Amino acid sequence: MAEIIQKDGTWAFDGDALRLTPGRDKNVSLLRRALGELVVPLGALAGISFEQGKKAGRLRLRLRDGADPLLHASGGRLTEPNDPYQLLVESDRYGVAEYFTDEVRNALLLDEVPSDPVDEYLLPGPSLPLSVSAGDGTASFDGEQIRLEWNWKTEDAKAAAGTRTLAVTDVVAVEWQPAAGLENGYLRFTVRGAATKAPPKYDPHSVELWGFKKDPLMALVAAAVQARLPHPSAAPVDAPPKQLEEPPRDDHDALLRRLRELGELHRTGVLTDEEFTMAKQAVLKRL
């Protein structure tokens, strides 16, 4: 088992999954603390990297596209302090971080985990129930219904419609956009049969965000809802069924190339004797 413990958090890897626990340091973001511990299966990973700096380094996980509803709902717009897949590493722990990186990379290699997109969520999304107050309202979600309540800062025309309750089965899309510069952000739900081009300030299915500290927490609501919507790679309901195809056979030449690659990795020291033997046996079984 590989483990690295920092003020920013603790990452542990047991060969099958990574357990990411946020730290208790005051600099750890509200979003990461609210999200809590994450368990990321090895199959959800596309890669890992470690970047050294003069005072601190940074471990980064790269997930396969479509594996995490949080990353999909936030559209890659989470800033570094709010990204749960990054860990600040103090300079005296660089050796541990490099060892951790090598362990995960070797596991990805041995398990032959592909880096291409997935067609189902491999992480469950934030725990429920959720309730977040930010901007001009409060968004709550219990797994079945989304409740939007307005505060005294809400535009009158929007507040006049009163509290909104949306069934998750009526929601076709959800998006979280952080405030940037002079542009406000938002949490928007697109409801079947009620599409609108109104700005979030007037849209009764949106919460407008002004760039305050709690804004990123709205991304958790977006992720929890996204986890219960059809996966983005799913075919439309009215799409014709795909023709069944015979499963492809393992290509003999490709397997031979794989054996040569493993041999080269073993010779250069990337794979230990035990790792090389295990990987070679797995390939030979498919010949």
Side-chain angles (χ1 to χ4, degrees):
M1 179 173 175
E3 183 178 56
I4 179 167
I5 303 173
Q6 294 290 276
K7 292 180 181 179
D8 196 39
T10 298
W11 285 12
F13 177 57
D14 63 5
D16 295 318
L18 290 97
R19 191 174 297 273
L20 316 180
T21 307
R24 297 181 179 179
D25 188 74
K26 63 180 181 180
N27 294 322
V28 176
S29 73
L30 283 176
L31 183 145
R32 288 179 58 205
R33 280 185 275 168
L35 185 59
E37 185 176 83
L38 285 176
V39 178
V40 183
L42 185 65
L45 284 185
I48 182 173
S49 64
F50 174 58
E51 304 163 6
Q52 294 189 14
K54 292 183 179 179
K55 295 183 178 180
R58 192 177 293 272
L59 270 170
R60 300 177 189 266
L61 295 181
R62 183 167 59 90
L63 270 63
R64 298 169 66 185
D65 289 344
D68 181 20
L70 174 60
L71 294 183
H72 181 78
S74 61
R77 292 181 287 268
L78 290 174
T79 56
E80 286 188 350
N82 295 306
D83 187 344
Y85 302 113
Q86 298 189 31
L87 181 72
L88 285 177
V89 179
E90 297 167 13
S91 58
D92 62 348
R93 290 294 182 271
Y94 282 0
V96 178
E98 290 172 346
Y99 170 76
F100 189 93
T101 301
D102 288 343
E103 287 292 292
V104 176
R105 283 179 176 167
N106 288 340
L108 289 171
L109 178 64
L110 287 171
D111 283 19
E112 298 183 344
V113 177
S115 59
D116 54 342
V118 297
D119 57 7
E120 63 178 340
Y121 292 122
L122 301 180
L123 282 88
S127 300
L128 297 177
L130 266 174
S131 184
V132 176
S133 296
D136 67 353
T138 297
S140 305
F141 182 51
D142 63 5
E144 296 181 356
Q145 292 187 326
I146 303 154
R147 184 178 175 87
L148 302 177
E149 301 175 83
W150 313 118
N151 57 37
W152 63 274
K153 295 171 283 188
T154 308
E155 181 68 25
D156 289 346
K158 180 175 173 180
T163 298
R164 308 292 292 181
T165 301
L166 311 174
V168 70
T169 52
D170 292 332
V171 174
V172 296
V174 58
E175 181 186 10
W176 170 80
Q177 174 74 49
L182 298 177
E183 294 291 327
N184 291 338
Y186 57 83
L187 169 67
R188 185 194 296 274
F189 300 97
T190 302
V191 180
R192 184 178 291 105
T196 177
K197 294 183 179 180
K201 183 176 182 178
Y202 302 103
D203 181 4
H205 298 149
S206 298
V207 176
E208 188 180 36
L209 305 172
W210 300 315
F212 296 151
K213 190 175 181 180
K214 290 187 177 181
D215 282 11
L217 294 179
M218 284 293 183
L220 299 183
V221 179
V225 174
Q226 184 65 55
R228 287 154 181 83
L229 299 181
H231 192 272
S233 69
V237 176
D238 56 353
K242 293 183 178 180
Q243 295 294 325
L244 295 177
E245 299 179 357
E246 183 180 351
R249 298 177 180 271
D250 287 326
D251 182 76
H252 187 270
D253 291 339
L255 293 176
L256 291 177
R257 287 195 300 271
R258 180 62 178 166
L259 284 174
R260 287 194 292 270
E261 292 170 359
L262 290 173
E264 181 62 26
L265 292 171
H266 183 227
R267 282 191 294 274
T268 57
V270 175
L271 295 179
T272 65
D273 292 344
E274 182 180 358
E275 291 170 340
F276 172 66
T277 300
M278 291 174 57
K280 182 177 70 173
Q281 289 176 350
V283 175
L284 290 175
K285 287 180 180 179
R286 293 162 55 186
L287 277 171

